[in-house]
Structures are given as structure tokens and as C-alpha cells.
Amino acid sequence: MICTLCPRNCRVEREDTQGRGVCGVGSMPKVARAALHMWEEPCISGTRGSGAVFFSGCGLKCIFCQNESISHGGEGEYVTPKRLSEIFRELEAQGAHNINLVTAAQFVPAVIAALDMYRPNIPIVYNSSGYESVETLKLLEGYVDIYLPDFKYIDGQMAKLLSGAADYPGVAMAAIAEMLRQTGPAAYDEDGMMLRGTQIRHLVLPGLTGDSMKILSVIADEFPGAAVSLMGQYVPFGRALQMPGMNRRIKKKEYARVLAHMEAIGLKGYRQELESASEAFVPAFDGTGVS
């Protein structure tokens, strides 16, 4: 396939298990882990866990990615769409509250093929960096119940420095608007589990509390009523360990400042505890549930 799935628009040939684009993977799904995951927001993980399928490769090259071994390193195993559909069925049978597609943009056609083979009777979650093509998102309409996009940057230069994508702010804004159009307002069951909707995530980065506050203000102005998740789990990984300013966790006072702004502008949503900033919350990408 000549790939135009993500905003990079590489237009390179991706064979089944070979790819020369930014994501670095072929067109068949490459999966590093498929298991119940307890570390999403309470409305996603619930009491039984989210059925998280961690895909390899990524079109957004964040220097601090906690899943670096799969997003940059490409660890994982190629599977057919048929096997992917079986993975969905197995996670559902294990009691998963939902099927959580983690960084699946580079495999959207195969994901759709798998869902056509077997559509679980639980919500389908599309867990995303926010760096998405609107055209590709439109392919997912009717397949995805819940979108979990990041909104990482408001400053294009910072997006370029940390993720190699100066166009991130505008791309993410358009992508989130499309996600909200598809899902409409968030809906929950009697236990508080999300059934449908778009929940916008923002990770507070060290030294960038001003940017975080701007992002929250943009969300309040441009996406009123959207579900929001403020995250404090930043842990330096990969190249971030060698970058001054990015090689530390965020400080309590930094997070408190962003939280205070969130409350001041009346933006409601989930607030992550700073105790989540630990390597212990990064799952083992050891092929669990794949073969």
C-alpha cells in the first residue's frame, strides 16, 4: 500500500511486514501486548480492566515516549486481521470493559477488517496521540465508540522539538473536532463506565505549565463540555533523559498550578495523581496475549 494514513503523508510503499515510512512498520498489524490494563482512567479501566491492544510503530516521534520500545523500537509481532479479531474476542471473554486500541493509526485498514470479522459487544476505544488525519478518522466512523486523544502541544516549535511535528497543534485540533463530531457527548453507564464519547487527555510536561494552561483554555473554549483528563505521569524516557529540562519529573507545584487553572476556568474532568509518575506503570511489552 502507498501510505497516506497519518498527517506525515509519507506516500511510501508499505508491504505486509516491511515499511519505510515514519512509523517504521508494515501494513499488517504489529502487536506488542494484548491484555487487561488497569491503568487508564477509572471510566475506562473500571474494576476488570480495559482490553488494551498495544500496537507497534508510531507516526509521532516523542522523545519522552514511555512506550519507546514499541513506538520507536518496533518491538512486537505481526498478526493477520483474523488473528486480531480473535484477540478482541479473547479480551472480551476475559471480562474487559472495552477493547482499547493503543496507537493504531498506522493499521486502520487492518483494524477495520478485524472489526468486520468480529465486533465485540463492548465499546471500542481508539487511544491516540492526537496526531491524526481527519480523512483516516472518517474511515473509523461507526467502528469506534470512544476516542482518547492526547492534546500535547499548543506551540508548534515545542511540538517540533519534542515530537518532530511542528504542525501538531492544528492537526490535533482538527482531529479532536472530528472525533467529537463522530461520538457526540460522553455517555456513561450506571457504574460510571464510559460507553461513548471523546475524552481529551493532556500530559503536563516539566517547565511547560504555561503551555498546559493555554491548552486547557483552548479545550474549554473550542470543545465545551468535552470530557477531560489531566495527567501528571510524566517520566523521562529515551532521549528525554539527555535533554536538560526534560530529564526530570514534574514538580508538585507545577501540577498544582495547572490544576488551579483548570478549576478556575470551570473545566471538569479526571485528575491523575502524581504517584502515577513511575516506571512501574509501564506494561511489559513481552508479547502477552498476541500469539
Side-chain angles (χ1 to χ4, degrees):
M1 63 177 289
I2 301 298
C3 190
T4 59
L5 288 174
C6 88
R8 300 289 189 185
N9 201 29
C10 295
R11 301 193 67 84
V12 300
E13 179 70 30
R14 290 174 65 202
E15 300 175 0
D16 285 353
T17 60
Q18 298 291 326
R20 293 178 289 107
V22 173
C23 66
V25 289
S27 59
M28 285 178 59
K30 193 175 189 182
V31 182
R33 181 181 178 85
L36 298 179
H37 188 65
M38 297 302 301
W39 303 328
E40 305 287 24
E41 289 81 356
C43 64
I44 301 297
S45 286
T47 57
R48 301 192 303 272
S50 177
V53 182
F54 289 89
F55 292 93
S56 302
C58 181
L60 191 64
K61 296 302 181 183
C62 303
I63 68 167
F64 52 84
C65 182
Q66 66 178 19
N67 297 345
E68 183 189 26
S69 65
I70 61 174
S71 63
H72 293 213
E75 291 182 9
E77 178 183 338
Y78 282 106
V79 299
T80 63
K82 178 65 166 62
R83 175 58 193 145
L84 186 58
S85 73
E86 292 169 353
I87 288 172
F88 298 161
R89 189 188 295 271
E90 289 163 8
L91 290 170
E92 182 181 28
Q94 291 170 34
H97 288 288
N98 45 62
I99 299 299
N100 187 351
L101 308 172
V102 184
T103 317
Q106 61 275 19
F107 303 119
V108 163
V111 167
I112 289 173
L115 288 170
D116 282 339
M117 292 177 193
Y118 179 69
R119 175 61 187 256
N121 294 309
I122 50 179
I124 303 298
V125 180
Y126 189 82
N127 193 329
S128 161
S129 70
Y131 194 62
E132 300 279 349
S133 161
V134 169
E135 290 72 22
T136 299
L137 290 173
K138 287 180 178 178
L139 299 176
L140 291 166
E141 187 164 7
Y143 289 95
V144 171
D145 302 293
I146 299 168
Y147 283 104
L148 290 182
D150 291 338
F151 192 164
K152 295 179 182 290
Y153 311 107
I154 198 67
D155 182 326
Q157 288 305 306
M158 191 58 64
K160 181 179 180 180
L161 176 68
L162 299 180
S163 296
D167 59 345
Y168 181 94
V171 167
M173 288 277 290
I176 291 169
E178 172 62 19
M179 294 172 184
L180 285 162
R181 182 196 69 79
Q182 289 185 24
T183 65
Y188 304 86
D189 69 12
E190 62 275 8
D191 297 319
M193 296 302 300
M194 200 171 197
L195 298 174
R196 187 170 181 82
T198 296
Q199 181 163 266
I200 306 170
R201 290 168 157 176
H202 175 66
L203 174 66
V204 180
L205 298 175
L208 296 177
T209 55
D211 285 22
S212 289
M213 291 189 289
K214 288 178 183 177
I215 286 172
L216 294 177
S217 293
V218 167
I219 293 172
D221 292 341
E222 300 295 329
F223 309 120
V228 178
S229 176
L230 186 68
M231 300 188 295
Q233 68 183 34
Y234 178 82
V235 176
F237 282 90
R239 285 176 291 158
L241 290 167
Q242 281 72 52
M243 179 178 283
M246 295 299 294
N247 57 356
R248 65 171 177 86
R249 290 170 168 79
I250 64 171
K251 299 175 182 177
K252 288 183 178 180
K253 64 180 181 181
E254 290 177 311
Y255 197 52
R257 184 182 178 209
V258 178
L259 273 174
H261 178 73
M262 185 175 179
E263 293 169 359
I265 63 175
L267 197 59
K268 301 186 183 302
Y270 173 70
R271 283 92 156 159
Q272 189 178 50
E273 299 295 330
L274 282 183
E275 287 74 16
S276 298
S278 169
E279 292 89 343
F281 292 99
V282 179
F285 300 118
D286 56 3
T288 295
V290 179
S291 299

